[in-house]
Amino acid sequence: MPASLDSMGFQRQPFFKDKNRAFWMLQSLGWGGYFVLRTLSGIANAMGWSYVLHTALLTATGYSVTLLMAAAYRRLIRAKPLVTWVATVAIILLAAAAFSAIETWSHATFISPGSVPEGFRFLGAILLTVTLLIAWSALYYGINYYLLLEEQSRQLNRLEHQASSAQLAMLRYQLNPHFLFNTLNSISTLVLLRQTERANAMLSRLSSFLRYTLVNEPSGMVTMTQEVETLKLYLEIEKMRFEERLQPRFEIDPSVERARLPSLLLQPLVENAIKYAVTPQEEGAEIAIEGKRVIDRVLITVSDTGPGPDGAPTYVGSTGVGLANIRDRLAQAYGDNHRFETQSVPAGPDTPGGFRVLIEIPYQIEAEEPK
């Protein structure tokens, strides 16, 4: 919209945004068109200026009658269908009779002065009037039912969005308590051992991590770079607990650094790897987070060198809300347009084995809806 039009107040907005204004505009345009067409028809048939007065009276009558009909329809539109239909038919017949009586009288007064209104003229008028008022009623109900349906659709979308956001919040906030309790226990242990500097450092990092989780919406999207920075902050906290036993490794291709994904999507996978790969092994384990782009997809892998499902039966069966949580969040964010797989990595001459989680999502660089 040009700036000059905006400055004059002619800003573009939906026609039916103001239902009251839209009704009066349509009502005035409709009956104005009725007046113009009937007047032109009368002039074309050499009816004279008295026909213009006759048409003006009929236009005013129709305008007023349909205003009364609209007032009644506003109540009927939310009633039961049978009540709406019966009452609407009765209102149309009553309004048509009143309109036709005025039209018959006006014709006898202005078009044929001195003539007596005839029953046949009234019958012909009421047939045409009924047709006109049925068309007006159909248009009124059609527009209003469309607006009601649109409003219900908007409400449904809002409710679905609120439910989705609430579910995502529940899914994400389920992950924090376990990590928080472990970290607080570690801080408590450091305080008892009088290692105040390490305790303060852990508290500072914990504060930064929790600030991030509170600032970002559960349904929000972040870039891969932001997600990796958050993971590093989380791993710094866990590194103070496990020291050299925790060996993180990041391999993020530059082509996916701007790719967007749900915030804190990978943290529970890393936490899961720490719990089932680092904790049970005296020598610890390596945790690798890899990300690369494959055409229009982002492939993310979180793997570890732990015992895997064969060496630790609880690995899959007792992951708490971890893996199930990630599945649900991916389904919420992408529907069926994603892949989530867990794989056991067998030990070999060059590989220590372990467990791997593979995630494939659409490549997006803006906060847009998944395609």
Side-chain angles (χ1 to χ4, degrees), residues 231-245:
L231 278 179
K232 288 180 178 178
L233 184 62
Y234 167 75
L235 286 168
E236 285 178 4
I237 298 171
E238 295 290 41
K239 186 81 171 173
M240 297 187 72
R241 291 177 55 207
F242 295 98
E243 299 182 338
E244 298 304 319
R245 294 172 59 203

Side-chain angles (χ1 to χ4, degrees), residues 40-78:
L40 292 176
S41 175
I43 293 174
N45 289 284
M47 299 294 292
W49 289 104
S50 59
Y51 189 81
V52 176
L53 184 60
H54 170 70
T55 303
L57 178 60
L58 294 184
T59 302
T61 301
Y63 195 97
S64 302
V65 167
T66 50
L67 286 181
L68 295 175
M69 293 172 64
Y73 289 172
R74 275 195 292 271
R75 296 178 179 273
L76 289 175
I77 198 168
R78 296 182 183 275

